[in-house]
Amino acid sequence: MRVTEEGKFNYGIGITGTKEFYTDGKAKNYKFTSSDESVIKIDSNGNFTAIAEGTAEIRVALKDDEEKFYSEEITVVRDKIKDSNIYFSNLSDRYQYKAKAIKPNTVIYYTPDNTQMVKGTDYKISYSNNVEMGVASITIEGLGRFKGKVTKTFHIVPTTVKNLEIKTQSESSITLQWSKNAENITAYKVYMFDYSKGVWEYFGKTKETKLEVTGLSSGTIYKFKVRAYKNVDGIQYFGGFTPYLKATTKPVTAKITSITSENGKAVLKWKKISNASGYKIYMSTSENGKYERIRTLSDINTVKYSKSLEKGKTYYFKMRAYKTVNGEDVFGAYSDVVKITIK
């Protein structure tokens, strides 16, 4: 039997040395003993409990004739716990750094009989290296019914980077920025999604909280994410990724190729800008005056616009391309200002 198990001594079956059969079931007529109470304890009613590993003989005898007895030898064992028969429920492989001891709230099972083990009764628990980033461990040591030790490891990693956003954009680059981690990390790594391959690829690292991603195409949408890491004994421990950020480079600068006056109208023409979502056209009655947007064109294949205006007056025009991302417009630079006197 196992340590902590209990039983009832069956003393109504006959007594060694006689054929006499006792069936009165009255414990007061019998005497119960254990040859080693440090292994098995038995009370006056025949109830016994396994206390520790070992072997003991339990005996029942007639109180008025102890030569008439029945005995059994019982070996008490403890179940040995090991990696193959212990399951740590809810134990994650990774926990974020907290600047204090991390003690995972795990439920432990002995799998051969699916017993949920009780802390303080079936096992005691200890931790090591569970404050700083790196490899930490949790160890349980069997108590009572169980013996042996089992150790599991988990990793303490940097916290997830927060507040990833766009700092600046140009036609060929995007500068990202994010909040500084409170803990002491080694650096941050930036990743960019490769649409052609359908995978995230590493772009670069920095100890700062910003990074300029260069070599990009104009008016193109990109996706980025960032994570922190800590070097411990030559191994990099990574925090979680930020949610990805969708960003776009600016469209190239618009160029008005011609402006003419035709039948009381100003007619503008320009060069098509690939990767733009459209164009916005602005007009003023003086070169350095206030320009008002007079038209938004959402078809990038449109390269001409005309507007009826008052004859004899001079008007000034400029335009810019835009790219819409997440419902917001990213603008290219303004074109040079052109003017026309309406005829």
Side-chain angles (χ1 to χ4, degrees), residues 245-283:
L245 174 69
K246 186 180 287 188
T248 183
T249 48
K250 290 182 176 182
V252 296
T253 302
K255 182 178 181 181
I256 299 174
T257 56
S258 70
I259 183 168
T260 59
S261 176
E262 301 175 9
N263 301 318
K265 295 181 179 180
V267 180
L268 287 78
K269 294 181 181 180
W270 58 88
K271 186 177 180 180
K272 175 184 173 181
I273 297 177
S274 299
N275 298 329
S277 297
Y279 313 99
K280 294 182 186 286
I281 300 172
Y282 302 82
M283 185 182 76

Side-chain angles (χ1 to χ4, degrees), residues 84-186:
S84 61
N85 62 21
I86 292 296
Y87 173 61
F88 289 74
S89 176
N90 302 324
L91 180 63
S92 174
D93 178 64
R94 292 156 45 93
Y95 293 88
Q96 291 191 15
Y97 176 79
K98 293 182 178 180
K100 62 180 181 180
I102 295 176
K103 298 180 179 181
N105 184 23
T106 181
V107 179
I108 300 171
Y109 291 88
Y110 179 68
T111 57
D113 57 11
N114 201 33
T115 296
Q116 180 176 327
M117 299 175 70
V118 178
K119 182 179 177 181
T121 299
D122 296 325
Y123 69 91
K124 62 181 179 180
I125 193 167
S126 60
Y127 304 88
S128 64
N129 303 321
N130 62 327
V131 176
E132 300 301 328
M133 287 175 277
V135 180
S137 64
I138 174 173
T139 299
I140 65 165
E141 183 176 354
L143 298 175
R145 166 188 167 182
F146 301 99
K147 65 179 179 179
K149 290 183 179 181
V150 173
T151 297
K152 296 290 184 181
T153 59
F154 58 93
H155 300 93
I156 301 176
V157 300
T159 57
T160 300
V161 175
K162 296 180 180 180
N163 302 318
L164 174 62
E165 61 185 8
I166 301 165
K167 180 176 175 64
T168 60
Q169 295 150 291
S170 73
E171 295 177 9
S172 60
S173 69
I174 296 172
T175 299
L176 306 169
Q177 66 180 10
W178 53 87
S179 297
K180 181 179 175 63
N181 281 40
E183 69 274 19
N184 180 26
I185 56 108
T186 299

Side-chain angles (χ1 to χ4, degrees), residues 164-166 176 200 222-225 242-247:
L164 174 62
E165 61 185 8
I166 301 165
L176 306 169
W200 287 95
Y222 295 91
K223 291 195 296 187
F224 303 96
K225 58 185 181 180
T242 61
Y244 76 78
L245 174 69
K246 186 180 287 188

